[in-house]
Amino acid sequence: MTAMMKTMLCTSLALLAFASNSVLCRLALGEQAIDAASFTSVRLLSGILVLMLILGLKQSPDSVSSKGSWRSALFLFIYAIAFSFAYISLETGVGALILFGSVQLTLILLGLASGSRLRALEWCGLLLAFSGFVYLLLPGLSAPPLLGFCLMSLAGAAWGFYTFAGKGSKNPLMDTGYNFLRTLPLVLILMALSFSQFSWTQEGILLAIISGGITSGLGYTIWYIALGGLSAIQAAVVQLLVPVIAALGGVIFAGEELSGRLVIAALMILGGTLVVILAKHALTSIWRRG
């Protein structure tokens, strides 16, 4: 297998894994096969087991020693729990769109706060993406519940902070594994606080295990392999497909419908984000040549 084919295969599998997290969570919580706290707990515990196993098999004596941070673990936990509770009321495609848009907007705002500056075209893209969120929330039959929107926006912001905190990682896989491991005390506290409300079925537990161990643990590992063959701009652009794949997954597996509002909001949010990404890349290339 050539390097290009390997990158394409790993990228495709990783994007499917990311979108599958939304589908699995919605299937579990939308059908009330498990409660949100239990889904979060099982998902993180499964991720810990799989990532620690991968690290145990992969680690070599000369590998860079890097074990994440408690701050990143907190962001990861906030993302996971807000993600689960949001999908109690949100449909798959809507949730993935809000999550992805929130992640990208958070990263853009963090970049601005750290000294980056946006040009006119980038501001236009940002305004278009933000307008997509406003349109999605306009009163109407197909508008998402406000609480679900706020929780998923929080999940996206937490993941954005988590991603930003790990930009300088020397060993992303090891950092991710130990960040998952550091969520263990928070998972135990969550389990103790919500024990009396635990409600699950075998199907719900299985969906949570698949989400944590396969589409999160293995999915993140495959993504790191794919990143070795992708430029930063390619990695950013291909992730625009995740909400689209998730929405299609919701239609196929959860019997959801694609509303006109969702399609228009997706075009605005993803289109605006694409403008920001491509504009920044183009301006950077021009600056380097000049």
Side-chain angles (χ1 to χ4, degrees):
M1 181 181 294
T2 65
M4 181 180 294
M5 289 180 62
K6 178 181 178 181
T7 298
M8 292 176 61
L9 176 61
C10 289
T11 300
S12 300
L13 290 175
L15 296 181
L16 285 173
F18 295 159
S20 294
N21 271 327
S22 292
V23 176
L24 291 167
C25 189
R26 179 57 181 168
L27 285 174
L29 297 171
E31 299 296 327
Q32 298 183 338
I34 191 172
D35 65 281
S38 297
F39 185 92
T40 303
S41 301
V42 175
R43 180 187 179 190
L44 289 174
L45 289 173
S46 301
I48 290 170
L49 290 174
V50 169
L51 286 167
M52 288 297 105
L53 177 61
I54 292 172
L55 286 173
L57 295 174
K58 181 181 177 61
Q59 190 172 355
S60 57
D62 59 346
S63 62
V64 178
S65 179
S66 183
K67 297 188 176 181
S69 69
W70 287 106
R71 182 180 62 174
S72 293
L74 178 61
F75 290 141
L76 177 61
F77 180 79
I78 293 173
Y79 149 75
I81 192 169
F83 180 88
S84 297
F85 277 92
Y87 264 126
I88 293 176
S89 58
L90 294 179
E91 292 189 345
T92 309
V94 174
L97 179 61
I98 296 170
L99 176 71
F100 176 84
S102 180
V103 169
Q104 295 301 318
L105 289 176
T106 299
L107 290 173
I108 292 170
L109 293 175
L110 285 172
L112 288 173
S114 64
S116 298
R117 292 293 178 265
L118 298 182
R119 302 295 195 275
L121 186 57
E122 294 173 280
W123 277 113
C124 289
L126 185 59
L127 180 60
L128 179 60
F130 182 76
S131 299
F133 277 111
V134 174
Y135 175 74
L136 189 63
L137 278 177
L138 287 176
L141 293 176
S142 58
L146 181 60
L147 178 60
F149 177 89
C150 291
L151 286 171
M152 192 59 83
S153 297
L154 174 62
W159 189 258
F161 275 99
Y162 177 82
T163 302
F164 192 79
K167 285 181 66 176
S169 174
K170 302 297 184 183
N171 191 329
L173 177 58
M174 184 173 288
D175 278 333
T176 299
Y178 279 95
N179 285 333
F180 263 81
L181 183 61
R182 288 173 189 268
T183 66
L184 185 56
L186 296 171
V187 171
L188 295 177
I189 292 173
L190 174 62
M191 294 174 69
L193 293 176
S194 57
F195 180 78
S196 60
Q197 282 78 45
F198 277 179
S199 173
W200 63 73
T201 63
Q202 289 184 347
E203 179 186 1
I205 292 292
L206 179 60
L207 290 170
I209 291 174
I210 294 173
S211 176
I214 299 178
T215 57
S216 293
L218 290 179
Y220 298 160
T221 303
I222 294 171
W223 178 240
Y224 291 140
I225 296 173
L227 287 177
L230 296 174
S231 67
I233 185 67
Q234 289 172 333
V237 171
V238 297
Q239 289 182 82
L240 292 171
L241 294 172
V242 173
V244 178
I245 299 171
L248 292 176
V251 172
I252 296 171
F253 298 105
E256 298 172 351
E257 295 183 1
L258 287 178
S259 68
R261 182 193 294 251
L262 174 60
V263 173
I264 294 173
L267 290 174
M268 294 173 70
I269 295 171
L270 301 182
T273 304
L274 182 61
V275 168
V276 175
I277 293 172
L278 294 180
K280 184 178 290 294
H281 175 67
L283 289 169
T284 300
S285 299
I286 292 172
W287 180 81
R288 286 176 177 172
R289 287 199 299 269

